[in-house]
Amino acid sequence: MTTDTNMKSPEAAAVPPSGPAPVKKRVPRGHKRLLTRRDRITLGFMAGVPTVLHVALVWVTALASIALAFTSWDGIGFGSIKWVGLDNFKQLFNDNPQFWPAVEHNVIWFVVLILIPTPFGLFLAVQLDKKIRFSRVYQTAFFLPVVVSLAVTGFVWQLVYNPDTGLINSLIGANKPGHYIDWIGDPHLNLWAVLIAASWRHTGYMMILYLAGLKGVDPSLREASSLDGANEWQTFKNVIFPTLRPTNTVVLVVTIIEALRAFDLVFVFNKGAQGTELLSILITNNIIGESSRIGYGSAIAVVLLVISLVVIIPYLISTFRKERSA
Amino acid sequence: MRDLSSSLPSPSRRGLLKGMGGAALLGAGIPLLSACGSSGSSSDPKTVSLGSNASDAVPKKAFAEIYAAFQKQSGITVDVNTKDHNTFQEQINSYLQGTPDDVFNWFAGYRMQFFAAKNLASPIDDVWEKIGGNFPDAMKKLSKGADGKYYFVPLYTYPWAIFYRKSVFQQHGYEVPTTWDQLVALCKQMKKDGLVPIAFGDKDAWPAMGTFDQINFRLNGYDFHVELMAGKAAWTDAKVKAVFDHWAELLPYHQDGFMGRTWQDAAQTLVSKKAGMYLLGSFVAQQFADKADLDDLDFFAFPEINSAYGQDTVEAPTDGFMVSKAPKNKAGVAKLLEYLGTPAAEQIYLKADSSVVAASSKADTSSYTPLQKKAYEMISGAKSLTQFMDRDSRPDFTSTVMQPSLQKFLQNPKGVDSLLSSIERQKKTIFASS
C-alpha cells in the first residue's frame, strides 16, 4: 500500500505543470505522453529509491522485530532462530524484575517533563517574547542544552553528580562515610537526578517551540485586549494561551516522544542500573550484548511499540479529522 | 570457513583441488588457514589488523610495544583498532559477524568457547604446534574450544585477591586475616580506626561478581562454582543463600555509595590510604601511578570460610587473542600469533604492565616485581583456577540477569529469597534457549 501511494504521488504532482505546454505547440496524436522517457525514469528513481529504502529500513525492520518477538535467537546466523510463541512475553511480564520498574520510569519521565520543564519553558518564552534587553543572549543560554548531544549532557551531569568528586557532594560535603549521598547509585535518588538533567535540556526545547508559537500570535489581539483593559495575566490566560493551541499539541506529542525514547542520558549516566531502568535500555541490553537475546529484546521493543501506538493513533485520528474538515 | 575441511586429515576430492589451488600459500607454512582460500581481498600482506579492547592507558601502551617489536622482527605492521573496553565486549557479537579485524583481544574460558562453537573464530592448531611448548597444561586447556581444537593464544593472567597497603597494616598493627572471622574482626577494627574497611565500586556492575565468586568457592568449593555457572546447580540452593548471608555480613564494611562509583575511583581510596582493603583483580595496581605507592601495595588470598576447601581455588582470568572467522592476511596472522605465544612477547607486555603475570611458563620471572612474583606463586600453587562469573557462564545470563540481580542485593541485602527464586526462574529460560 505504501509503495503504491509513494510511487504515484510525485508523478501525479508533476503532471499539472506540463498542462499548458501543448497549447504552444501542437502535439501529434499518438504521442499523448506528457512525460518523456527520461522524465519517467528520473521520477521513477526519485520515488522508487526512497520507497525501497523506507520499506526496507522502516517497515521490514519493524515487522521483522515483531516477528522476532515470538522467537528465541542469539543473533548468530539465521539457523538458530527458534519459534517460542508467547514465551518471551510471559517471561517479560512475570519473571523480569526490571520490566515493570522500566514501564513505571517511562511514565514518570513523561509526567515530570510535562509538569516541570514544559510550563517553565512556556514561562521563559513569554518573558523573552517581551523583547527585554539581551533577550537573544538569554535565548541562546537556555537553548544551548538542546544543541548539545544528550550523551555529552550525560557526561557533564555525571561530573556534577559523581558521589566522590562531583560538584554537589564536594560543595555540601556529602562524600564522607556516614553522610553520603549517592546520586548515581541510590535507587530513590538516581531517577530524579537524571530527570533534573533531562528537564534542564527539555526546558530549552519547549521554550523554542513556544517562542515560535508566540511569534505567530497576531499583535492586534494583544492590542485589542489591552484596549479592553485586561492586565498582563488576563491577556495571557484568555487571549494568548488559547491561540497557542496548535503549539500545545506539538509540545504534547514531542514530550511523549521524548519520554518514550529516553535513553542516551541514562545510558551514559549509569546504564539503567537499579532505579533508572527504562524500556529502551532493557531493549538495548538484551539485543546488543556479548551473546544477544534478540527475541527477548524484540518482545520488549514490541511492548514499547504498542505503547507508542496507543499514544500516536488518537493523535493521528484527530489530525486527519481536522484536515478533512478544513 | 567450510573450506577449512580441505585441510583436515582426510580431504574430499573437491577439498583437495581447493587445497592445491591454495598451494602457493601453503608454502608459507600455514596450511590450515590458507585453505580458507585467498578470497581475493586486496589486503596488504604486510599488515595484520587487530581489534583491541585495551583502552586503558597502561595496557594500551604495553600492547603497542609488543606490536612494535613484532614489526621489527617480521616486517609486518599490526594495524590496531582500539575500542573502549566495555563497549568492545558489548559489541563483540555483531563485530565478529560483520567485518572483524584479523585478530582480536579476547578472554579464555566459556566466552572463548562460545564464539568458537558459533564458527565465529578460526581454529589455530597449527600455531599451537609451534608455541605449545611454551605453556603449562592448565593454559592449554583454557585455550581449547569445546571441539578440542585450539582457538586462543593466552598472553597474561592475573589473580583476584584482597589488596592492601603494607604501610597501613604496619601503622595500625593489623595482621593478614586467614579465616572469615578474622576478616570480619579486621573490618570492625578498621572502621573503629576511621578507615573504610573495604573499598568498593560497582557502577560497571561486574566488580560485585568477583566478591560473589570468592565467597562462593571458599564456602562451597570449586566444583559447585562450575556447576552453578554452567546452569546445573540451582540458585535457590541453600548453599547459594549461605553465600549471600556471608556477603551481607561483610556489606556494612564496604565503602558507601558504591553503586555510583567505578572501580578506578574505588581504587583511588586505597591509593590515598583512606581504605584498608580492596577485593579486586591485580589490575588494581594500574591505578598506582606513584612507584613508592606501588611498592607499598600487597595482597592476600581471600580468607578461608570452609576448611574443606581452604584457599585452594584462585580466580585468575586469562586474556589473550583469537582469530576472526575469515582473516584477510592469514600468513601474517599466523606469524603474529606465533610471536604472541613466545615468552619474549609476554615479557615486553609485563615490563610495561606489572599488574599481571605471564601465561607462559617459559617467561622469565626474574624481572618480576615482588607483587608479580606473589601473584605467580598464588596462581601456580592453586588447586583449581576459575575465570570469573561472566567468563565461566553464559554472558547473556550474567549480563542481563546477574548484574542487575547482584546490584539489587547490594541495595537490599534482606530480600535474598525472592531474589534467588527470580534468578533461578530467569536462568532456566535462558539456559533452555539454546
Side-chain angles (χ1 to χ4, degrees), chain A residues 74-77 82 91 95 97-98 158 162-164 178 180 182 185 187 269 273-274 286 289-293, chain B residues 90 92-93 97 106 111 114-115 118 203 256-257 259-261 265 395-396 400 404 407 411 425-426 429-430 433:
Chain A
D74 62 12
I76 301 174
K82 243 190 339 190
Q91 265 182 64
D95 294 339
Q98 292 172 294
Q158 231 187 333
N162 185 307
D164 293 317
Y180 201 95
D182 188 1
F269 194 68
Q274 302 299 309
N286 279 289
E290 210 178 303
S291 72
S292 347
R293 302 174 69 192
Chain B
E90 275 152 21
I92 185 76
N93 200 337
Q97 290 186 76
W106 200 237
R111 287 168 124 172
F114 178 83
F115 293 113
K118 293 282 179 187
K203 188 160 184 253
D256 273 350
M259 289 283 289
R261 187 183 298 113
D265 285 342
D396 49 359
T400 64
Q407 287 196 329
Q411 262 154 0
R425 274 202 307 275
Q426 295 180 74
T429 54
I430 290 181
S433 68

Side-chain angles (χ1 to χ4, degrees), chain A residues 18-38:
Chain A
S18 47
V23 182
K24 279 189 181 174
K25 229 181 183 181
R26 270 189 62 180
V27 181
R29 283 177 183 230
H31 284 272
K32 265 195 151 181
R33 290 242 167 96
L34 294 172
L35 297 166
T36 64
R37 198 185 151 77
R38 207 178 138 179

Side-chain angles (χ1 to χ4, degrees), chain B residues 19 33 47 66 79 199 202 283 296 425 431:
Chain B
L33 293 169
T47 14
I66 297 182
D79 180 16
D202 198 40
F283 51 84
D296 191 34
R425 274 202 307 275
F431 278 86

